[in-house]
Every structure is written in C-alpha cells, then in structure tokens.
Amino acid sequence: LEGDLAGVKDLVGAGANPSGIVEGDGSPLIGAARSGRDDIAKFLLDQGADPNGVVEGDGSALIAAAAFGRLEQVTILIDRGADVNLAVDGDENPLMNAAEHGHLRIVQLLVEKGADIHARIHSESYPRGGEWRTAISQARKNGHTDVVAYLQARGARE
C-alpha cells in the first residue's frame, strides 16, 4: 500500500475489503494517509473505505494524516466525511496530533472545519497514572510556539 496504486486496485478488484484491518498497519486508508498517497486514499474512499474507520493502536486515517503533516490527505478525508473530532483511545484526536507534531497549517484547517480546541483527553499511556492532554499542551510540550500562539489566539487553554 505504501506506493502501489495498481496493486491496491488489483487487491480490491479481487475482493479485498477497502476498510479491512491490516495487522500492524492499521487499514489500507490509514496506510495511505501515513505515506501521503492521495491517489490511493481517493481510490479506497471511492471503493467504500470508511473515512472514520478506527483501528485500535493505529487511530484513524485523519489522525495519521494530521500527525504526519499530510495537508492534502487531511483535506481529502474531511471532504469525504472524516470527523475532525473523532478521538481514539491512545491516539487522541486529529487536532492533538497535528499540534503535537507542529503542523500549523493542518491545525488551522482542522479548527476551520470545526475541531474542538477545548477537547481534553486522558491518556492512560503516560507514566504514573496517565495525563490529561489538549491540543495546546501537546504543542507546548514539543516546543511548537507558532501552534501554541495560534491556539491561544482562538481561546484555547490547557
């Protein structure tokens, strides 16, 4: 899936589920989001892949696209019905992932499309009993001052 549209078409043509789970890789759509393969993502969505499909441990396609800085992929997924506020245990939500990795333009797009800048998610994976996370706390933790400033200007608080 990392770069073979013809192979993906062959697999789907042979009956592979475009929303199927691929052990260790999430789903075909999550793989396309990670690798920035817009052509594969569009094909999978055209074939019925769920833009809000969740795979435990891998999140969703929009979470992956946001985390990896794939602006075009984020746009495609939102246009095809991906929920900008979909949270997945252990993977938070798209806005938190974009903020954590410093992808300002994606943060801006998600907010423009209705992402909740006030969302708080408890992460159990943090040592000593977990922690509460917000988009702004994730950006601050990783030194993304431009993202912090943008979110503060919109009224976000930790």
Side-chain angles (χ1 to χ4, degrees):
L1 289 183
E2 293 292 322
D4 183 11
L5 178 59
V8 172
K9 286 182 175 182
D10 288 345
L11 288 169
V12 172
N17 180 354
S19 290
I21 294 174
V22 180
E23 289 301 321
D25 288 326
S27 71
L29 192 55
I30 291 171
R34 280 190 197 120
S35 62
R37 290 301 307 260
D38 302 337
D39 55 345
I40 293 175
K42 288 176 185 176
F43 173 75
L44 291 167
L45 290 162
D46 288 343
Q47 299 304 307
D50 181 0
N52 292 303
V54 170
V55 177
E56 188 174 329
D58 290 297
S60 71
L62 186 55
I63 287 171
F68 281 85
R70 311 288 190 200
L71 179 60
E72 184 61 27
Q73 189 81 226
V74 168
T75 302
I76 291 165
L77 290 163
I78 292 171
D79 288 347
R80 298 289 191 100
D83 180 353
V84 296
N85 289 304
L86 179 66
V88 178
D89 285 342
D91 291 298
E92 288 78 40
N93 65 27
L95 182 60
M96 287 181 193
N97 276 272
E100 177 181 357
H101 296 284
H103 302 303
L104 178 60
R105 183 61 195 114
I106 293 174
V107 167
Q108 293 167 329
L109 176 62
L110 290 166
V111 171
E112 289 166 14
K113 296 296 184 176
D116 180 3
I117 62 171
H118 305 293
R120 295 180 73 229
I121 297 175
H122 192 263
S123 175
E124 297 294 331
S125 63
Y126 192 76
R128 298 170 306 228
E131 72 175 349
W132 285 98
R133 294 180 177 174
T134 63
I136 198 169
S137 71
Q138 294 300 94
R140 187 181 314 281
K141 176 171 62 176
N142 290 301
H144 302 300
T145 56
D146 55 342
V147 174
V148 170
Y150 171 80
L151 291 168
Q152 285 177 325
R154 298 250 147 2
R157 301 286 176 262
E158 289 186 58

